PDB file of all heavy atoms in Angstrom:
ATOM      1  N   ILE T 112     -22.074 -71.962  14.701  1.00 98.00           N
ATOM      2  CA  ILE T 112     -23.102 -71.522  13.810  1.00 98.00           C
ATOM      3  C   ILE T 112     -22.867 -70.059  13.560  1.00 98.00           C
ATOM      4  O   ILE T 112     -22.998 -69.249  14.508  1.00 98.00           O
ATOM      5  CB  ILE T 112     -24.519 -71.826  14.380  1.00 98.00           C
ATOM      6  CG1 ILE T 112     -24.715 -73.347  14.570  1.00 98.00           C
ATOM      7  CG2 ILE T 112     -25.606 -71.236  13.481  1.00 98.00           C
ATOM      8  CD1 ILE T 112     -26.005 -73.714  15.233  1.00 98.00           C
ATOM      9  N   SER T 113     -22.528 -69.726  12.334  1.00 98.00           N
ATOM     10  CA  SER T 113     -22.239 -68.321  12.038  1.00 98.00           C
ATOM     11  C   SER T 113     -23.351 -67.696  11.192  1.00 98.00           C
ATOM     12  O   SER T 113     -24.143 -68.431  10.585  1.00 98.00           O
ATOM     13  CB  SER T 113     -20.894 -68.200  11.279  1.00 98.00           C
ATOM     14  OG  SER T 113     -21.002 -68.761  10.016  1.00 98.00           O
ATOM     15  N   TYR T 114     -23.319 -66.360  11.173  1.00 98.00           N
ATOM     16  CA  TYR T 114     -24.271 -65.704  10.321  1.00 98.00           C
ATOM     17  C   TYR T 114     -23.689 -64.334   9.900  1.00 98.00           C
ATOM     18  O   TYR T 114     -22.808 -63.818  10.516  1.00 98.00           O
ATOM     19  CB  TYR T 114     -25.612 -65.478  11.052  1.00 98.00           C
ATOM     20  CG  TYR T 114     -25.509 -64.735  12.361  1.00 98.00           C
ATOM     21  CD1 TYR T 114     -25.657 -63.351  12.426  1.00 98.00           C
ATOM     22  CD2 TYR T 114     -25.208 -65.400  13.555  1.00 98.00           C
ATOM     23  CE1 TYR T 114     -25.550 -62.658  13.613  1.00 98.00           C
ATOM     24  CE2 TYR T 114     -25.103 -64.707  14.741  1.00 98.00           C
ATOM     25  CZ  TYR T 114     -25.268 -63.333  14.778  1.00 98.00           C
ATOM     26  OH  TYR T 114     -25.153 -62.671  15.954  1.00 98.00           O
ATOM     27  N   SER T 115     -24.225 -63.843   8.805  1.00 98.00           N
ATOM     28  CA  SER T 115     -23.797 -62.522   8.339  1.00 98.00           C
ATOM     29  C   SER T 115     -24.913 -61.934   7.478  1.00 98.00           C
ATOM     30  O   SER T 115     -25.828 -62.642   7.016  1.00 98.00           O
ATOM     31  CB  SER T 115     -22.523 -62.606   7.545  1.00 98.00           C
ATOM     32  OG  SER T 115     -22.747 -63.174   6.275  1.00 98.00           O
ATOM     33  N   ALA T 116     -24.789 -60.642   7.171  1.00 97.00           N
ATOM     34  CA  ALA T 116     -25.751 -59.986   6.274  1.00 97.00           C
ATOM     35  C   ALA T 116     -25.505 -60.443   4.843  1.00 97.00           C
ATOM     36  O   ALA T 116     -26.468 -60.559   4.100  1.00 97.00           O
ATOM     37  CB  ALA T 116     -25.552 -58.474   6.361  1.00 97.00           C
ATOM     38  N   GLY T 117     -24.287 -60.731   4.490  1.00 97.00           N
ATOM     39  CA  GLY T 117     -23.924 -61.073   3.122  1.00 97.00           C
ATOM     40  C   GLY T 117     -24.144 -62.548   2.812  1.00 97.00           C
ATOM     41  O   GLY T 117     -24.747 -63.277   3.577  1.00 97.00           O
ATOM     42  N   THR T 118     -23.553 -62.963   1.708  1.00 97.00           N
ATOM     43  CA  THR T 118     -23.788 -64.312   1.168  1.00 97.00           C
ATOM     44  C   THR T 118     -22.957 -65.345   1.828  1.00 97.00           C
ATOM     45  O   THR T 118     -23.249 -66.532   1.718  1.00 97.00           O
ATOM     46  CB  THR T 118     -23.581 -64.350  -0.356  1.00 97.00           C
ATOM     47  OG1 THR T 118     -22.210 -63.850  -0.599  1.00 97.00           O
ATOM     48  CG2 THR T 118     -24.526 -63.463  -1.102  1.00 97.00           C
ATOM     49  N   SER T 119     -21.851 -64.995   2.513  1.00 98.00           N
ATOM     50  CA  SER T 119     -20.987 -66.012   3.073  1.00 98.00           C
ATOM     51  C   SER T 119     -21.599 -66.690   4.310  1.00 98.00           C
ATOM     52  O   SER T 119     -21.155 -67.761   4.650  1.00 98.00           O
ATOM     53  CB  SER T 119     -19.627 -65.419   3.435  1.00 98.00           C
ATOM     54  OG  SER T 119     -19.721 -64.681   4.608  1.00 98.00           O
ATOM     55  N   GLY T 120     -22.478 -66.023   4.948  1.00 98.00           N
ATOM     56  CA  GLY T 120     -23.050 -66.524   6.205  1.00 98.00           C
ATOM     57  C   GLY T 120     -21.997 -66.546   7.324  1.00 98.00           C
ATOM     58  O   GLY T 120     -22.216 -67.157   8.374  1.00 98.00           O
ATOM     59  N   GLY T 121     -20.899 -65.847   7.126  1.00 98.00           N
ATOM     60  CA  GLY T 121     -19.893 -65.793   8.177  1.00 98.00           C
ATOM     61  C   GLY T 121     -18.935 -66.958   8.186  1.00 98.00           C
ATOM     62  O   GLY T 121     -18.143 -67.126   9.141  1.00 98.00           O
ATOM     63  N   ALA T 122     -18.896 -67.720   7.057  1.00 98.00           N
ATOM     64  CA  ALA T 122     -18.018 -68.859   6.998  1.00 98.00           C
ATOM     65  C   ALA T 122     -16.535 -68.447   7.242  1.00 98.00           C
ATOM     66  O   ALA T 122     -15.769 -69.211   7.885  1.00 98.00           O
ATOM     67  CB  ALA T 122     -18.128 -69.610   5.680  1.00 98.00           C
ATOM     68  N   PRO T 123     -16.079 -67.319   6.732  1.00 98.00           N
ATOM     69  CA  PRO T 123     -14.684 -66.934   7.009  1.00 98.00           C
ATOM     70  C   PRO T 123     -14.423 -66.718   8.498  1.00 98.00           C
ATOM     71  O   PRO T 123     -13.301 -67.018   8.957  1.00 98.00           O
ATOM     72  CB  PRO T 123     -14.520 -65.612   6.193  1.00 98.00           C
ATOM     73  CG  PRO T 123     -15.535 -65.676   5.120  1.00 98.00           C
ATOM     74  CD  PRO T 123     -16.692 -66.400   5.713  1.00 98.00           C
TER      75      PRO T 123
END
Side-chain angles (χ1 to χ4, degrees):
I112 297 175
S113 68
Y114 57 92
S115 73
T118 55
S119 75

